[in-house]
Amino acid sequence: SYAKTVNTDRVLPFRFIAAARMMPQFEDMLEDMMLRSLESHEKLPGKTVLLIDVSGSMFGAKVSSKSDLDRFDAAAALAVLAREICEEVEIYSFSSYGAVRVAPRRGFALVEAIRDSQPHDGTRLGRALTDVNRGTSYDRVIVFTDEQSSDCVPAPKGKGYVINVASYQNGINSGAYTTITGMSEAVIDFIQMSEKTGW
């Protein structure tokens, strides 16, 4: 069939999620194409913790004036991408209630699991990272958020990355966490390259 033969190498999860929203009757075909598009991607070695913001500000605010995706859609799409290319992964959501472990489902089921994991309340990233640091070891933690945290954020136990999907400004800032501001489909590639080169 067309879905099994079309070249999807350059199509990223954002496009499939948007397409499935427009044509839910084709969700199974789109998901198969999405997962196939990620099969050949180089793996991110070691253990990665994904921490996805599900606070209220992530929903309903579009990532740009030209996009039909909101901040949560963007974060979830990046989580789907990371889930497939991380060698070992643990996934958590956060809002006001600390870190909540999410089953490492794949594709659209992962988006749903993250969205439904806890109420969409305030943003307490510090509490969530304290929970994660206390509960597990990891090589890196990647946070997908709009950076509206209301509490102090502890340093990561491994490498730390904050992906700001709100696009308040563009830039990459290094501190305890490397913050990549401005939603980009290449953020995971950037993480891989920076770790390889020691940048």
Short mmCIF file of all heavy atoms in Angstrom, two decimals, residues 155-185:
data_model
loop_
_atom_site.label_atom_id
_atom_site.label_comp_id
_atom_site.label_asym_id
_atom_site.label_seq_id
_atom_site.Cartn_x
_atom_site.Cartn_y
_atom_site.Cartn_z
N ALA A 155 19.57 21.47 40.21
CA ALA A 155 20.47 21.04 39.14
C ALA A 155 20.17 19.58 38.77
O ALA A 155 19.73 18.79 39.61
CB ALA A 155 21.92 21.18 39.58
N PRO A 156 20.43 19.21 37.53
CA PRO A 156 20.21 17.81 37.12
C PRO A 156 21.30 16.91 37.68
O PRO A 156 22.40 17.37 38.00
CB PRO A 156 20.29 17.88 35.59
CG PRO A 156 21.21 19.04 35.33
CD PRO A 156 20.92 20.04 36.41
N LYS A 157 21.02 15.60 37.77
CA LYS A 157 22.02 14.64 38.21
C LYS A 157 22.92 14.20 37.05
O LYS A 157 24.01 13.70 37.27
CB LYS A 157 21.36 13.41 38.83
CG LYS A 157 20.71 13.69 40.16
CD LYS A 157 20.47 12.43 40.96
CE LYS A 157 19.57 11.45 40.25
NZ LYS A 157 19.21 10.31 41.11
N GLY A 158 22.43 14.38 35.83
CA GLY A 158 23.22 14.11 34.62
C GLY A 158 23.23 15.37 33.79
O GLY A 158 23.18 16.48 34.32
N LYS A 159 23.26 15.23 32.48
CA LYS A 159 23.13 16.39 31.61
C LYS A 159 21.68 16.86 31.65
O LYS A 159 20.76 16.05 31.76
CB LYS A 159 23.54 16.04 30.18
CG LYS A 159 25.01 15.68 30.03
CD LYS A 159 25.34 15.38 28.59
CE LYS A 159 26.78 14.91 28.43
NZ LYS A 159 27.78 15.85 28.90
N GLY A 160 21.48 18.17 31.56
CA GLY A 160 20.13 18.72 31.62
C GLY A 160 19.82 19.61 30.45
O GLY A 160 20.63 20.48 30.09
N TYR A 161 18.66 19.41 29.84
CA TYR A 161 18.23 20.21 28.69
C TYR A 161 16.80 20.69 28.93
O TYR A 161 15.95 19.91 29.39
CB TYR A 161 18.26 19.39 27.40
CG TYR A 161 19.61 18.81 27.08
CD1 TYR A 161 19.96 17.54 27.51
CD2 TYR A 161 20.55 19.55 26.36
CE1 TYR A 161 21.21 17.00 27.23
CE2 TYR A 161 21.81 19.02 26.07
CZ TYR A 161 22.12 17.74 26.51
OH TYR A 161 23.37 17.21 26.24
N VAL A 162 16.54 21.95 28.65
CA VAL A 162 15.19 22.50 28.71
C VAL A 162 14.83 22.97 27.31
O VAL A 162 15.50 23.82 26.74
CB VAL A 162 15.08 23.68 29.71
CG1 VAL A 162 13.70 24.32 29.63
CG2 VAL A 162 15.37 23.20 31.13
N ILE A 163 13.79 22.38 26.74
CA ILE A 163 13.30 22.77 25.42
C ILE A 163 12.08 23.65 25.63
O ILE A 163 11.03 23.18 26.08
CB ILE A 163 12.92 21.54 24.57
CG1 ILE A 163 14.00 20.45 24.62
CG2 ILE A 163 12.60 21.97 23.13
CD1 ILE A 163 15.36 20.88 24.18
N ASN A 164 12.22 24.94 25.34
CA ASN A 164 11.12 25.89 25.51
C ASN A 164 10.31 25.93 24.21
O ASN A 164 10.77 26.44 23.20
CB ASN A 164 11.66 27.28 25.84
CG ASN A 164 10.55 28.27 26.14
OD1 ASN A 164 9.43 28.16 25.65
ND2 ASN A 164 10.85 29.27 26.95
N VAL A 165 9.08 25.38 24.25
CA VAL A 165 8.24 25.31 23.06
C VAL A 165 7.38 26.55 22.87
O VAL A 165 6.58 26.62 21.94
CB VAL A 165 7.34 24.05 23.08
CG1 VAL A 165 8.20 22.79 23.04
CG2 VAL A 165 6.42 24.04 24.29
N ALA A 166 7.56 27.55 23.74
CA ALA A 166 6.72 28.75 23.66
C ALA A 166 7.25 29.78 22.67
O ALA A 166 6.53 30.69 22.29
CB ALA A 166 6.58 29.40 25.03
N SER A 167 8.50 29.65 22.29
CA SER A 167 9.11 30.56 21.31
C SER A 167 9.05 32.02 21.74
O SER A 167 8.76 32.91 20.95
CB SER A 167 8.45 30.40 19.94
OG SER A 167 8.65 29.11 19.44
N TYR A 168 9.30 32.30 23.03
CA TYR A 168 9.38 33.69 23.47
C TYR A 168 10.54 34.39 22.77
O TYR A 168 10.48 35.55 22.44
CB TYR A 168 9.60 33.77 24.98
CG TYR A 168 8.47 33.20 25.79
CD1 TYR A 168 8.67 32.14 26.66
CD2 TYR A 168 7.18 33.72 25.67
CE1 TYR A 168 7.64 31.62 27.40
CE2 TYR A 168 6.14 33.19 26.42
CZ TYR A 168 6.37 32.14 27.28
OH TYR A 168 5.34 31.62 28.01
N GLN A 169 11.63 33.66 22.59
CA GLN A 169 12.80 34.19 21.89
C GLN A 169 13.58 32.99 21.38
O GLN A 169 13.37 31.87 21.83
CB GLN A 169 13.67 35.02 22.84
CG GLN A 169 14.22 34.21 24.02
CD GLN A 169 15.04 35.06 24.96
OE1 GLN A 169 15.06 36.27 24.85
NE2 GLN A 169 15.73 34.42 25.88
N ASN A 170 14.47 33.22 20.45
CA ASN A 170 15.28 32.14 19.92
C ASN A 170 16.69 32.25 20.49
O ASN A 170 17.22 33.33 20.63
CB ASN A 170 15.34 32.20 18.39
CG ASN A 170 14.00 31.89 17.77
OD1 ASN A 170 13.31 30.97 18.22
ND2 ASN A 170 13.61 32.63 16.76
N GLY A 171 17.28 31.10 20.81
CA GLY A 171 18.63 31.11 21.32
C GLY A 171 18.91 29.87 22.14
O GLY A 171 18.01 29.12 22.46
N ILE A 172 20.18 29.64 22.43
CA ILE A 172 20.59 28.51 23.25
C ILE A 172 21.44 29.06 24.37
O ILE A 172 22.41 29.76 24.14
CB ILE A 172 21.38 27.48 22.42
CG1 ILE A 172 20.49 26.91 21.30
CG2 ILE A 172 21.92 26.38 23.29
CD1 ILE A 172 21.24 26.07 20.30
N ASN A 173 21.05 28.79 25.61
CA ASN A 173 21.75 29.33 26.78
C ASN A 173 22.25 28.17 27.64
O ASN A 173 21.48 27.28 27.96
CB ASN A 173 20.81 30.21 27.60
CG ASN A 173 20.14 31.27 26.75
OD1 ASN A 173 20.81 32.00 26.07
ND2 ASN A 173 18.82 31.30 26.77
N SER A 174 23.50 28.18 28.03
CA SER A 174 24.05 27.11 28.85
C SER A 174 24.23 27.58 30.29
O SER A 174 24.76 28.65 30.54
CB SER A 174 25.39 26.64 28.29
OG SER A 174 25.21 26.01 27.05
N GLY A 175 23.75 26.78 31.22
CA GLY A 175 23.93 27.01 32.65
C GLY A 175 23.93 25.62 33.26
O GLY A 175 24.57 24.71 32.73
N ALA A 176 23.20 25.42 34.35
CA ALA A 176 23.01 24.06 34.87
C ALA A 176 22.27 23.23 33.83
O ALA A 176 22.48 22.02 33.72
CB ALA A 176 22.24 24.11 36.18
N TYR A 177 21.39 23.90 33.07
CA TYR A 177 20.68 23.27 31.97
C TYR A 177 21.02 24.00 30.68
O TYR A 177 21.21 25.22 30.69
CB TYR A 177 19.16 23.35 32.17
CG TYR A 177 18.68 22.53 33.34
CD1 TYR A 177 18.73 23.06 34.64
CD2 TYR A 177 18.20 21.25 33.17
CE1 TYR A 177 18.33 22.31 35.72
CE2 TYR A 177 17.78 20.49 34.26
CZ TYR A 177 17.85 21.03 35.53
OH TYR A 177 17.44 20.29 36.60
N THR A 178 21.10 23.26 29.59
CA THR A 178 21.17 23.90 28.29
C THR A 178 19.75 24.17 27.85
O THR A 178 18.94 23.24 27.72
CB THR A 178 21.88 22.99 27.26
OG1 THR A 178 23.22 22.78 27.69
CG2 THR A 178 21.89 23.64 25.88
N THR A 179 19.41 25.45 27.68
CA THR A 179 18.05 25.83 27.30
C THR A 179 18.01 26.14 25.81
O THR A 179 18.76 27.00 25.33
CB THR A 179 17.58 27.07 28.09
OG1 THR A 179 17.63 26.75 29.49
CG2 THR A 179 16.15 27.45 27.72
N ILE A 180 17.16 25.44 25.11
CA ILE A 180 16.96 25.68 23.68
C ILE A 180 15.61 26.36 23.55
O ILE A 180 14.57 25.75 23.79
CB ILE A 180 17.01 24.38 22.88
CG1 ILE A 180 18.32 23.63 23.16
CG2 ILE A 180 16.86 24.66 21.38
CD1 ILE A 180 18.38 22.25 22.57
N THR A 181 15.62 27.63 23.22
CA THR A 181 14.39 28.42 23.17
C THR A 181 13.96 28.60 21.73
O THR A 181 14.76 28.95 20.87
CB THR A 181 14.61 29.81 23.81
OG1 THR A 181 15.12 29.63 25.13
CG2 THR A 181 13.31 30.58 23.89
N GLY A 182 12.68 28.36 21.48
CA GLY A 182 12.18 28.38 20.11
C GLY A 182 12.00 26.94 19.67
O GLY A 182 12.93 26.14 19.64
N MET A 183 10.76 26.58 19.39
CA MET A 183 10.43 25.20 19.07
C MET A 183 11.06 24.80 17.74
O MET A 183 10.89 25.45 16.73
CB MET A 183 8.91 25.06 19.00
CG MET A 183 8.41 23.63 19.14
SD MET A 183 8.41 22.76 17.57
CE MET A 183 7.17 23.69 16.68
N SER A 184 11.82 23.71 17.75
CA SER A 184 12.50 23.24 16.55
C SER A 184 12.42 21.73 16.47
O SER A 184 12.52 21.04 17.49
CB SER A 184 13.97 23.67 16.56
OG SER A 184 14.68 22.99 15.55
N GLU A 185 12.27 21.24 15.26
CA GLU A 185 12.24 19.79 15.05
C GLU A 185 13.64 19.18 15.15
O GLU A 185 13.79 17.98 15.13
CB GLU A 185 11.61 19.48 13.70
CG GLU A 185 10.15 19.88 13.65
CD GLU A 185 9.55 19.78 12.26
OE1 GLU A 185 10.30 19.84 11.27
OE2 GLU A 185 8.33 19.66 12.17
#
